[in-house]
Amino acid sequence: METAKKLRFGATYLLENPSIEDAVALCVKEGLHFVELNSNFPQCLLHLMKPDKLRQLARDNGIFFTLHLDDRFDPFDFNPHVGKAYRQTMLEGLALAGEAGITVINMHIPRGNIVTLPSGRHYIYQEYPKEFEESLLSFREMCGQNAGDTARIAIENTDGWEGYEKAAIETLLVSPVFGLTLDVGHDHATGNQDLPFIQAHHRKLCHMHLHDGWEQTNHQALGTGVIPLGERLAMAAATNATVVLETKTKEALRQSVQYLKDKGYL
């Protein structure tokens, strides 16, 4: 299959992995190309991971790494102390990427605080556009100055982007440092709310979180749900995006690998 030649598949970091070494061993066992480290896990905290050790693991096992930042990552917080801490987190991630050869840093676009009034839900970043834009531009400049040539910062869809979030992402995408992650399960759960935006910016797609699902259920083994996986993989192949098998258990990962083998992708 021509598409398969372009695709590089990776394993997400699992709760079942006691250590990064275990995650690497699982990746190698399943014949995958990389591991997505996840700083939500204590084993993958940025200040604890040693770049020389990661490089050695990558070299010895013929793999590479990507990095998923904390789900709560929000460098735009109006509290300067909170925002500074998250911006420092990104700087640590970029430094680690440069030293360890990490190719993608995955982040969520933060929705910000929500104020619920009788008239409905109001998003604080939307209500204060000037302050939000200042934070966006400052963050974009900081990343551009510190990213180097190693990693792209890929923005992942989660619960369906609001209009102000899409505008913010477009502001970040002006910089070549930024790209997009398509999480196919998250998108399916929203009724493909974010797919048109990603298709409109398809050249920026550099990363994908692949899993199956149905209705609001996702992170299932490939081939067990209703998501058009072939169509999504064709999108990844078109831009040479890396593809993480984002299941939650070793068994679901094994099933997903077998699905890809059966379909000729691995």
Side-chain angles (χ1 to χ4, degrees):
M1 180 181 293
E2 186 65 27
T3 301
K5 295 178 183 178
K6 297 183 180 180
L7 289 171
R8 294 161 296 162
F9 294 99
T12 190
Y13 199 92
L14 298 173
L15 191 60
E16 294 173 272
N17 292 325
S19 68
I20 293 174
E21 289 83 355
D22 290 296
V24 170
L26 179 63
C27 171
V28 172
K29 177 183 177 182
E30 297 296 344
L32 300 173
H33 305 102
F34 67 96
V35 172
E36 178 142 295
L37 303 168
N38 190 322
S39 62
N40 289 289
F41 289 86
Q43 299 95 322
C44 302
L45 295 179
L46 297 178
H47 69 285
L48 294 181
M49 291 190 290
K50 305 300 183 186
D52 54 344
K53 183 176 181 180
L54 293 179
R55 277 196 177 276
Q56 188 67 48
L57 280 170
R59 243 188 335 262
D60 290 348
N61 293 280
I63 64 161
F64 61 95
F65 292 103
T66 60
L67 173 65
H68 191 308
L69 291 184
D70 190 319
D71 290 349
R72 297 168 298 176
F73 178 75
D74 185 355
F76 314 123
D77 196 292
F78 292 155
N79 183 322
H81 304 295
V82 174
K84 181 179 179 181
Y86 281 120
R87 288 193 295 275
Q88 182 61 36
T89 296
M90 177 58 82
L91 289 174
E92 289 179 2
L94 290 171
L96 181 69
E99 295 176 39
I102 290 170
T103 60
V104 171
I105 298 177
N106 187 85
M107 64 170 276
H108 297 171
I109 193 76
R111 181 153 287 179
N113 288 325
I114 300 171
V115 179
T116 303
L117 299 178
S119 58
R121 289 155 62 91
H122 294 256
Y123 301 98
I124 202 77
Y125 289 155
Q126 186 176 30
E127 296 295 327
Y128 294 88
K130 181 176 179 293
E131 291 84 351
F132 185 42
E133 183 180 36
E134 289 175 353
S135 293
L136 274 170
L137 295 175
S138 173
F139 177 70
R140 187 181 74 185
E141 181 180 7
M142 181 198 80
C143 292
Q145 291 176 348
N146 291 275
D149 300 324
T150 303
R152 299 266 308 272
I153 301 168
I155 303 167
E156 177 190 351
N157 58 299
T158 51
D159 302 317
W161 287 320
E162 298 291 331
Y164 76 93
E165 292 178 287
K166 294 176 184 178
I169 294 166
E170 287 181 325
T171 295
L172 295 176
L173 290 178
V174 168
S175 168
V177 168
F178 288 90
L180 292 171
T181 295
L182 171 59
D183 187 300
V184 302
H186 293 167
D187 185 59
H188 177 79
T190 68
N192 300 125
Q193 182 176 327
D194 296 320
L195 191 60
F197 180 90
I198 291 176
Q199 290 172 327
H201 300 83
H202 67 278
R203 293 177 186 233
K204 291 288 188 175
L205 180 65
C206 62
H207 201 48
M208 181 174 286
H209 287 171
L210 189 70
H211 39 109
D212 217 335
W214 54 89
E215 298 178 351
Q216 304 301 307
T217 299
N218 51 44
H219 296 112
Q220 304 303 302
L222 301 185
T224 63
V226 300
I227 295 174
L229 301 174
E231 293 178 20
R232 302 299 180 259
L233 286 168
M235 290 178 63
T239 57
N240 199 30
T242 42
V243 181
V244 180
L245 304 182
E246 200 181 39
T247 60
K248 298 301 182 182
T249 66
K250 290 182 179 180
E251 177 56 26
L253 178 66
R254 186 197 64 77
Q255 292 178 33
S256 297
V257 168
Q258 189 59 52
Y259 172 89
L260 292 173
K261 289 179 178 178
D262 292 343
K263 294 294 184 181
Y265 290 102
L266 270 175

